[in-house]
């Protein structure tokens, strides 16, 4: 039976890359600051959501992935690449 988890047992495959790209942004924004950036882009999230995505505890919708990629200034494909 198929389970909705990555090979590593995470609920998403973009969280690790999201953290990596977030910390590569100018000023290395905190999770709270990044949540504010996402809010300005129209995504209703808070610091806890960012933390849960980065740790792989939370699923990410395609709508969220698109906004996250735009905010990070990377392609959505870059967020989905294997390490």
């Amino acid at each position: 039976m198929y389970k909705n988890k990555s090979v590593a047992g995470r609920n998403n495959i973009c969280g690790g890359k999201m953290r990596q790209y977030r910390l590569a942004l100018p000023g290395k924004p905190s999770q709270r600051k990044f949540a504010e950036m996402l809010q300005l882009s129209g995504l209703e999230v808070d610091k806890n959501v960012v933390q849960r995505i980065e740790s792989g505890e939370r699923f990410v919708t395609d709508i969220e992935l698109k906004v996250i990629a735009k905010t990070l200034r990377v392609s959505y494909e870059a967020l989905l690449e294997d390490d």
Side-chain angles (χ1 to χ4, degrees):
M1 179 176 189
Y2 181 77
K3 303 218 187 236
N4 290 335
K5 296 206 183 266
S6 71
V7 175
R10 298 167 56 99
N11 288 324
N12 66 61
I13 57 175
C14 66
K17 288 285 186 179
M18 183 174 119
R19 180 178 191 279
Q20 180 182 348
Y21 286 119
R22 173 179 61 83
L23 294 175
L25 289 172
K28 297 183 179 183
S30 66
Q31 291 175 336
R32 184 174 312 283
K33 178 64 178 168
F34 188 62
E36 291 170 4
M37 294 166 68
L38 292 171
Q39 290 170 6
L40 290 173
S41 296
L43 198 60
E44 286 300 315
V45 297
D46 62 19
K47 179 249 183 221
N48 293 327
V49 171
V50 172
Q51 186 276 326
R52 291 184 69 224
I53 291 171
E54 288 184 354
S55 69
E57 295 174 28
R58 185 180 180 281
F59 290 102
V60 178
T61 68
D62 54 353
I63 296 165
E64 293 169 329
L65 185 66
K66 185 176 179 180
V67 175
I68 291 167
K70 182 179 178 184
T71 303
L72 290 170
R73 299 183 201 109
V74 299
S75 69
Y76 66 87
E77 293 94 340
L79 292 171
L80 299 176
E81 290 177 354
D82 293 330
D83 283 332

